[in-house]
Amino acid sequence: MTGFSTDRRRVVAGLAASASLLAAPRALGQAKPKVVVVGGGFGGATCARALNRLGIEVTLVEPNATYTACPFSNLVIHGSRDLSAQTFTYDAIRRDGIAIAAEMASGVDADARIVRLASGATLPYDRLVLAPGIDIRFDALPGYDEAAVDVMPHAWKAGAQTALLRKQLESMKDGGVVVMSVPANPYRCPPGPYERASLIAHYLKTQKPKSKLLVLDAKDSFSKQRLFQNAWKELYPDHLEWVGLAGGGKTTEVSVKDMTVVTEFGRHKADVANIIPPQRAGRIAADMGAADRSGWCPIDPVTFEAKLRPNVHVIGDAAIAGAMPKSAFTANAHAKVCADAVATLLRGETPGEPKLINTCYSLVAPDYGISVAGVYHPAKGVLADVEGAGGTSPLEATKDVRALEAKYANAWFQIVTSEVFG
Amino acid sequence: MRNAFVLAALAAPLVFGSPALAQGAAPKPPPPGASSCSGCHGAAGSDLPTLSGRSADEIAGSMAAFRSGERPATLMNRIAKGFTDEETRAIAQWIAAQGRAK
């Protein structure tokens, strides 16, 4: 510093000669470091707000004017919740002073540290946070292409797809067969298909009792399995049949024309077909080289920095987060740890090792909740379970306990959406 | 000569006008685990209890009771077991200092 005042010209000449003064001012530390966050879901919106609170200039890139949340959208399919209760605006985030680029990010130049927008505009960044969520893999299940979703909705991104599946269930005659196809791991919200199966079965039992739900699963074991299966036996013995991998449950093909779901063991004609297809990280992650061959993004478990792209952090469903499941709670937890790590890195310091929590509630019936929780820490390069912590609700519990967990599930949704969007 | 001064004027804010972030005024990052709490614990008036206004002793005491099983829980017992006494204490102090879980 004293060198500047005593020999200003020499220092200035040196700065100019480095050629980095104008080309890359961030190398010198500009007035405010810039972070771009791509994706305004539970991860991205949380991260943008957390970074903003830390004094970092944030731009959130999100093309949609509203966000439709997946958690609790199974109650919309059940018929007991309005889709509008799932919908949030970015108004509060904008009021925080966060700039929102309301368009698609069309690409990233990781070397120049620039996000390109669909309009052709560019956003420079010191660090980039990718929270692109999931994309449906239309190359993974024969017959399930982009046109098929209008006939056999996945409803795995909440919104119009959720409404369509609800409408199909409502229109179905009593005595109909609903077929649900569940993919192999990993996918968004591991217990989600089983919550959905439960609530569809509840709807059938109470409104269309001659109907049946057939769940065709590409796995033999799944999240909260014994809790779900015990509850199904108790609540929906005549309305829900689950077929695992060993029983021939893996879907190999679908036919929209015949309304048929095909497995290695047979063909299942459906009146309503809900196909939850294989997934991968949102496209931009693969396009910019942050995803590996699995389609998901390996990350450093301390900073969430992409292992394949420096200065780029990946949070939420798109990340390979070790033992942490792909959930909204996880994305929210990632986002806050990532924001702190990004701020620390921008100060030129080394982030300390974090711990993270996940809690996932599932509804087996509207007043019957179960949960799984976990605590995670970096170990051997991934986010691993903290031994001795976490686990599911007890297998034996009173109705009151299940009702209390359903109530807490509701409270969680209110609180987390208020932290993210309120 | 004139160019050098122009450059100096440009460079000065770049070099010295660094943000509060870079001047040691940055908030201390939360202790491990603490930032997750606000995913469930927000403002008062929810079915999930707020942590706002609670002392560090109260929060740490509750966590210890959840961990030992002395205090019944739906899932806080499963979460409390993921933290040592020292970690729990640090989280409790940080939350109490925030005025609410953040």
Side-chain angles (χ1 to χ4, degrees):
Chain A
M1 280 199 181
T2 49
F4 196 83
S5 53
T6 54
D7 197 348
R8 179 181 289 171
R9 284 165 65 186
R10 196 165 60 95
V11 172
V12 168
L15 286 170
S18 76
S20 65
L21 179 61
L22 301 173
R26 67 178 73 91
L28 294 171
Q30 58 200 11
K32 257 188 163 187
K34 282 187 168 57
V35 175
V36 175
V37 178
V38 174
F42 282 94
T46 302
C47 199
R49 294 190 114 173
L51 288 162
N52 181 55
R53 273 198 299 274
L54 290 164
I56 292 165
E57 194 177 316
V58 189
T59 303
L60 177 62
V61 182
E62 170 54 57
N64 298 307
T66 57
Y67 180 75
T68 308
C70 281
F72 274 79
S73 67
N74 284 331
L75 280 180
V76 178
I77 292 164
H78 173 258
S80 57
R81 188 177 176 90
D82 200 279
L83 192 58
S84 64
Q86 299 298 113
T87 308
F88 300 88
T89 72
Y90 294 97
D91 295 347
I93 292 171
R94 212 174 260 119
R95 280 197 300 274
D96 285 352
I98 294 168
I100 298 183
E103 51 180 313
M104 281 297 282
S106 56
V108 176
D109 183 337
D111 294 327
R113 281 193 259 168
I114 283 169
V115 176
R116 280 190 300 275
L117 301 177
S119 63
T122 56
L123 295 170
Y125 63 82
D126 295 282
R127 286 187 175 268
L128 170 65
V129 178
L130 285 186
I134 57 154
D135 266 3
I136 303 298
R137 284 189 55 184
F138 288 111
D139 60 346
L141 181 59
Y144 202 70
D145 57 19
E146 289 183 52
V149 307
D150 295 333
V151 183
M152 296 180 165
H154 54 76
W156 219 240
K157 291 182 173 192
Q161 280 278 298
T162 315
L164 176 60
L165 180 54
R166 172 63 200 156
K167 199 173 132 222
Q168 291 183 346
L169 288 169
E170 258 180 313
S171 315
M172 188 182 80
K173 65 180 189 298
D174 192 7
V177 175
V178 182
V179 178
M180 177 188 289
S181 170
V182 185
N185 290 321
Y187 58 91
R188 161 179 284 178
C189 191
Y194 312 100
E195 177 186 77
R196 178 176 293 177
S198 305
L199 293 174
I200 290 176
H202 184 272
Y203 169 70
L204 299 179
K205 180 182 170 183
T206 52
Q207 307 290 323
K208 291 178 177 162
K210 285 183 270 178
S211 312
K212 194 183 148 182
L213 169 65
L214 175 64
V215 181
L216 299 170
D217 201 334
K219 307 181 289 302
D220 282 321
S221 59
F222 57 85
S223 177
K224 307 177 212 176
Q225 184 165 10
R226 289 184 66 194
L227 285 162
F228 274 116
Q229 288 185 323
N230 287 355
W232 292 345
K233 209 177 289 172
E234 179 196 338
L235 301 174
Y236 313 120
D238 302 325
H239 295 92
L240 196 166
E241 183 190 348
W242 176 82
V243 182
L245 177 67
K250 186 185 174 179
T251 302
T252 54
E253 191 182 340
V254 300
S255 169
V256 168
K257 192 163 56 78
D258 306 331
M259 277 302 283
T260 300
V261 180
V262 183
T263 66
E264 281 166 3
F265 286 36
R267 303 174 69 86
H268 303 275
K269 186 104 174 103
D271 294 289
V272 172
N274 170 211
I275 308 299
I276 304 168
Q279 299 148 34
R280 63 178 159 220
R283 207 185 76 186
I284 194 167
D287 286 353
M288 72 160 301
D292 68 14
R293 290 179 64 176
S294 73
W296 308 96
C297 304
I299 51 152
D300 178 286
V302 175
T303 61
F304 291 84
E305 190 161 0
K307 289 192 172 162
L308 303 177
R309 283 290 177 272
N311 304 309
V312 177
H313 302 251
V314 184
I315 57 173
D317 290 349
I320 299 174
M324 286 191 88
K326 299 185 188 303
S327 73
F329 194 112
T330 284
N332 174 258
H334 284 180
K336 290 177 275 188
V337 168
C338 178
D340 285 320
V342 164
T344 304
L345 288 165
L346 288 170
R347 289 198 300 272
E349 296 166 15
T350 306
E353 291 214 341
K355 273 193 171 179
L356 297 97
I357 298 169
N358 175 61
T359 297
C360 286
Y361 289 102
S362 301
L363 297 175
V364 179
D367 59 351
Y368 186 133
I370 55 176
S371 63
V372 62
V375 183
Y376 308 89
H377 65 155
K380 296 180 182 159
V382 298
L383 283 165
D385 281 303
V386 172
E387 301 255 340
T392 64
S393 307
L395 286 172
E396 302 296 330
T398 62
K399 272 190 168 173
D400 288 350
V401 168
R402 304 301 193 206
L404 191 59
E405 289 222 282
K407 204 161 87 164
Y408 286 164
N410 272 285
W412 164 75
F413 185 78
Q414 295 305 322
I415 286 169
V416 77
T417 53
S418 147
E419 185 183 29
V420 181
F421 300 106
Chain B
M1 185 66 183
R2 185 183 290 169
N3 283 348
F5 276 113
V6 170
L7 268 176
L10 279 173
L14 292 173
V15 174
F16 300 115
S18 48
L21 206 61
Q23 291 175 344
K28 205 168 168 250
S35 66
S36 287
C37 304
S38 59
C40 280
H41 298 284
S46 167
D47 284 325
L48 288 165
T50 185
L51 302 177
S52 176
R54 291 179 200 248
S55 70
D57 282 346
E58 191 184 352
I59 296 167
S62 294
M63 288 287 278
F66 283 134
R67 185 153 16 117
S68 69
E70 182 192 318
R71 181 171 167 180
T74 51
L75 68 75
M76 277 311 296
N77 49 347
R78 297 176 249 155
I79 289 170
K81 284 175 189 159
F83 298 92
T84 65
D85 275 336
E86 202 183 349
E87 287 171 333
T88 302
R89 187 84 219 155
I91 291 170
Q93 281 167 353
W94 184 82
I95 289 173
Q98 301 291 304
R100 62 177 284 269
K102 269 186 183 168

